[in-house]
Amino acid sequence: QIRHFRHCGYLKLPDCLPPETVAELKKTIHQDIADQTEPVVRDQTDRVIRISQVLDRAPIFHQAATHPPLLDALESLLGPHVELVKNRHNHATLNLATATRDSYHRDAVQWTRSLVTTILYLEDTNLDNGCTHIVPGTQQLPGLDLLHRVGEEQWVAVSGLLAQAIPVPMPAGGILLIDGLVFHRIGQNHTQNTRMSITLGFHSADELSDAEDPKRILVRGERNYRGNDRKSS
């Protein structure tokens, strides 16, 4: 599985979240949307389609983000010291039917500080309701100084790479791990229902930073500073 992630840039964890956790997450998201609890994102018709900063909301979000089987998988990819970031992703999305199509994008610009994008699916996702599409292996390509609309970059446009994208259907309770540099997008929802998911980002703890960062939550291991200027014991 680790080799697959390194080579292809993604890893599927089917049936990872317990059904009761999925049910509570859905209930909480629906309530926050009904209450329009800020911060929220609206579409062009003023529908609330996303709630942001979920890690500062109900405890169930942190509980899902630190689900032991998920952290076990992340530890195998990132090492024993894992941080959950608050300033990339950290939202829940309904992915309602819309005429607007998501563009292929990356979640980081350079490999030196990429992240593992983690999508928690709260409903079955398929071709009809907009499963995630990825272009396997694109995490190994050069960095781009942009996150969104990577298809507008000239070398990407002429390469035909985006035609190599594959859909990744997932069951409710499944989790998809994506290298932050992989080209990917949300599929278009052609149904009248939602395709609800939560997106989070994880890093390895930065061994060269000795400062506490309120935008990082240590979820496994420790912050073990190893800079050359550290005091020897």
Side-chain angles (χ1 to χ4, degrees):
Q1 289 181 327
I2 296 171
R3 182 178 177 86
H4 177 84
F5 182 85
R6 301 290 184 215
H7 182 72
C8 297
Y10 73 98
L11 183 64
K12 299 167 67 172
L13 306 176
D15 305 316
C16 189
L17 291 174
E20 56 271 20
T21 299
V22 172
E24 186 173 351
L25 286 166
K26 291 179 66 176
K27 179 181 178 181
T28 304
I29 292 168
H30 280 304
Q31 188 62 58
D32 277 3
I33 287 176
D35 295 341
Q36 300 188 40
T37 306
E38 296 288 349
V40 300
V41 176
R42 294 176 169 82
D43 66 8
Q44 295 177 342
T45 63
D46 205 38
R47 298 180 300 180
V48 176
I49 58 172
R50 174 176 291 177
I51 60 171
S52 302
Q53 301 300 319
V54 296
L55 294 172
D56 293 328
R57 295 174 183 260
I60 186 60
F61 292 106
H62 186 273
Q63 179 183 329
T66 56
H67 186 48
L70 170 59
L71 294 186
D72 290 344
L74 289 167
E75 181 176 346
S76 71
L77 300 175
L78 295 171
H81 312 298
V82 180
E83 289 182 329
L84 171 61
V85 303
K86 298 179 67 175
N87 57 346
R88 177 59 47 89
H89 303 317
N90 192 9
H91 57 242
T93 305
L94 295 183
N95 191 28
L96 300 169
T98 176
T100 303
R101 190 172 185 177
D102 189 29
S103 64
Y104 281 98
H105 58 277
R106 280 175 160 174
D107 295 330
V109 295
Q110 288 291 345
W111 65 269
T112 53
R113 203 66 180 124
S114 188
L115 78 164
V116 176
T117 291
T118 304
I119 306 175
L120 289 65
Y121 295 93
L122 306 183
E123 296 172 320
D124 291 344
T125 169
N126 49 54
L127 286 170
D128 289 334
N129 68 0
C131 63
T132 305
H133 290 66
I134 68 170
V135 186
T138 42
Q139 79 280 4
Q140 302 178 40
L141 299 177
L144 294 169
D145 195 26
L146 76 167
L147 292 174
H148 301 284
R149 294 181 293 279
V150 297
E152 297 177 6
E153 184 75 11
Q154 184 178 11
W155 68 263
V156 176
V158 302
S159 69
L161 277 170
L162 300 186
Q164 309 307 315
I166 61 170
V168 187
M170 291 289 290
I175 297 178
L176 179 64
L177 306 180
I178 305 176
D179 187 305
L181 289 175
V182 163
F183 296 170
H184 64 284
R185 68 172 174 84
I186 299 173
Q188 193 167 12
N189 189 348
H190 300 286
T191 76
Q192 297 305 307
N193 301 315
T194 60
R195 193 280 265 167
M196 191 185 299
S197 61
I198 297 170
T199 309
L200 304 168
F202 294 84
H203 277 156
S204 59
D206 190 349
E207 66 188 66
L208 298 181
S209 175
D210 61 352
E212 290 291 327
D213 187 344
K215 297 178 181 179
R216 302 286 185 272
I217 303 172
L218 186 70
V219 292
R220 179 157 289 187
E222 59 185 11
R223 292 189 175 95
N224 189 10
Y225 180 65
R226 296 180 179 179
N228 289 344
D229 59 347
R230 64 178 176 175
K231 295 180 181 180
S232 56
S233 56

